[in-house]
Amino acid sequence: MEDNMKVIFLQDVLPNSRAGDIKDVKNGYARNFLLPRELATMATAGELKRVESLRRDAEVRRVKEAEEWREVASKLAEVPVEILVRSGPRGRLYGSVTSTMLAQKLTEISNVAVDRRGIRFETPVRMLGEYLVPIHYFEGVDGQVVLNVISVDGGAEAAAMEAAMVEGVGGDGTGEMSLLEEFESRRIAREAKERGEEDDDDSGDDAESTKEE
């Protein structure tokens, strides 16, 4: 059986230990992890005199960190977070959006490392759309972000058209036609714009040829 070592924690090692705590831990855990990283020290008579000071200093750090995390949570709550994914024609993802993916995106936006373990999806994210995601950032600091899952391959438009058709079904069907016509008009406008740009390019080429002659 492995012997234990009594240590004083110099820093918080969440979720179970706080700076100033005096605990018996496994010898290997102390020597291979806690002591080399200066997260704890052996509970000698001299070190025991530092306990109250360690606890006070740790509480000051916690208050400061909590305030910093509140600012991060507030910033991330202001703007929807977009994640681009591949999806099928009905808006279903090829896979799902994971807590790791969202944590990486939040870290990019905030420049602060967001722990994926604090992200709490209420349901698996396997469809395009908007989701409200609760997040635990720090002790006493919780928030939520708006996640927009967007297709990178046209699946979003297809899903929107399908949703429009479903929404329009019923009654005299006028809702379906008006929504579908809106999508169709957008498509026609895009194609017309592309043709116009091509015509401009051709006109420029003709003018250049005439000038050379």
Side-chain angles (χ1 to χ4, degrees):
M1 182 176 179
E2 186 178 8
D3 293 335
N4 288 345
M5 177 188 298
K6 187 180 291 293
V7 300
I8 303 171
F9 281 85
L10 303 177
Q11 299 182 39
D12 293 346
V13 181
L14 300 177
N16 298 318
S17 302
R18 293 175 174 273
D21 286 353
I22 303 171
K23 291 187 175 183
D24 288 321
V25 300
K26 296 295 184 182
N27 208 337
Y29 177 54
R31 294 190 181 281
N32 298 327
F33 182 76
L34 296 176
L35 300 183
R37 290 169 173 77
E38 298 184 350
L39 299 174
T41 185
M42 295 177 63
T44 63
E47 293 294 342
L48 287 171
K49 296 177 181 178
R50 300 175 54 200
V51 169
E52 287 305 318
S53 175
L54 286 170
R55 288 173 178 166
R56 287 194 300 270
D57 292 345
E59 183 59 29
V60 171
R61 287 198 303 272
R62 287 188 205 105
V63 171
K64 181 179 179 181
E65 286 186 64
E67 183 59 34
E68 292 172 348
W69 276 110
R70 288 189 188 95
E71 293 180 3
V72 171
S74 177
K75 175 182 177 181
L76 293 175
E78 291 176 355
V79 181
V81 179
E82 295 184 351
I83 290 183
L84 302 179
V85 296
R86 293 186 62 82
S87 67
R90 294 180 179 271
R92 188 170 184 83
L93 311 189
Y94 297 127
S96 64
V97 174
T98 65
S99 58
T100 298
M101 294 167 63
L102 181 53
Q104 289 174 345
K105 192 68 176 180
L106 295 175
T107 298
E108 291 175 9
I109 296 172
S110 65
N111 292 320
V112 180
V114 176
D115 191 342
R116 65 175 181 80
R117 293 171 295 182
I119 296 174
R120 300 164 178 172
F121 288 117
E122 294 180 348
T123 58
V125 179
R126 298 195 177 102
M127 297 290 293
L128 299 176
E130 185 175 279
Y131 300 83
L132 192 62
V133 184
I135 301 179
H136 176 70
Y137 292 102
F138 187 73
E139 183 179 358
V141 182
D142 295 281
Q144 56 188 16
V145 298
V146 176
L147 169 63
N148 279 341
V149 183
I150 302 173
S151 177
V152 296
D153 53 8
E157 185 171 352
M161 289 187 68
E162 181 181 13
M165 293 177 67
V166 172
E167 182 178 342
V169 171
D172 58 3
T174 56
E176 177 183 351
M177 289 303 297
S178 62
L179 287 168
L180 290 177
E181 286 172 355
E182 180 180 351
F183 282 110
E184 182 65 13
S185 65
R186 291 179 183 175
R187 183 184 65 79
I188 294 172
R190 285 198 302 270
E191 292 178 354
K193 181 179 179 181
E194 292 172 358
R195 286 197 300 271
E197 291 174 351
E198 291 175 358
D199 291 342
D200 290 342
D201 291 340
D202 292 341
S203 298
D205 293 340
D206 292 342
E208 187 66 26
S209 299
T210 302
K211 183 178 179 180
E212 291 177 356
E213 292 175 357

